[in-house]
mmCIF file of all heavy atoms in Angstrom:
data_model
loop_
_atom_site.group_PDB
_atom_site.id
_atom_site.type_symbol
_atom_site.label_atom_id
_atom_site.label_comp_id
_atom_site.label_asym_id
_atom_site.label_seq_id
_atom_site.Cartn_x
_atom_site.Cartn_y
_atom_site.Cartn_z
ATOM 1 N N GLU Z 89 -66.394 126.843 -87.495
ATOM 2 C CA GLU Z 89 -66.683 127.866 -88.504
ATOM 3 C C GLU Z 89 -67.344 129.091 -87.889
ATOM 4 O O GLU Z 89 -67.068 130.226 -88.299
ATOM 5 C CB GLU Z 89 -67.566 127.274 -89.604
ATOM 6 C CG GLU Z 89 -66.847 126.244 -90.473
ATOM 7 C CD GLU Z 89 -67.759 125.588 -91.486
ATOM 8 O OE1 GLU Z 89 -69.012 125.738 -91.346
ATOM 9 O OE2 GLU Z 89 -67.253 124.923 -92.406
ATOM 10 N N LEU Z 95 -59.995 132.668 -84.864
ATOM 11 C CA LEU Z 95 -58.952 131.678 -85.132
ATOM 12 C C LEU Z 95 -57.985 132.199 -86.190
ATOM 13 O O LEU Z 95 -58.382 132.525 -87.312
ATOM 14 C CB LEU Z 95 -59.588 130.371 -85.613
ATOM 15 C CG LEU Z 95 -58.630 129.202 -85.852
ATOM 16 C CD1 LEU Z 95 -57.977 128.762 -84.544
ATOM 17 C CD2 LEU Z 95 -59.371 128.034 -86.493
ATOM 18 N N ILE Z 119 -49.910 129.167 -73.562
ATOM 19 C CA ILE Z 119 -49.601 127.898 -74.202
ATOM 20 C C ILE Z 119 -50.471 126.802 -73.592
ATOM 21 O O ILE Z 119 -50.355 126.490 -72.411
ATOM 22 C CB ILE Z 119 -48.113 127.542 -74.038
ATOM 23 C CG1 ILE Z 119 -47.241 128.640 -74.635
ATOM 24 C CG2 ILE Z 119 -47.804 126.209 -74.711
ATOM 25 C CD1 ILE Z 119 -45.750 128.403 -74.456
ATOM 26 N N THR Z 227 -49.044 125.065 -61.692
ATOM 27 C CA THR Z 227 -49.283 123.626 -61.741
ATOM 28 C C THR Z 227 -49.751 123.136 -60.378
ATOM 29 O O THR Z 227 -49.453 123.753 -59.350
ATOM 30 C CB THR Z 227 -48.007 122.856 -62.156
ATOM 31 O OG1 THR Z 227 -48.295 121.457 -62.205
ATOM 32 C CG2 THR Z 227 -46.871 123.093 -61.172
#
Side-chain angles (χ1 to χ4, degrees):
E89 291 176 346
L95 184 65
I119 302 177
T227 181

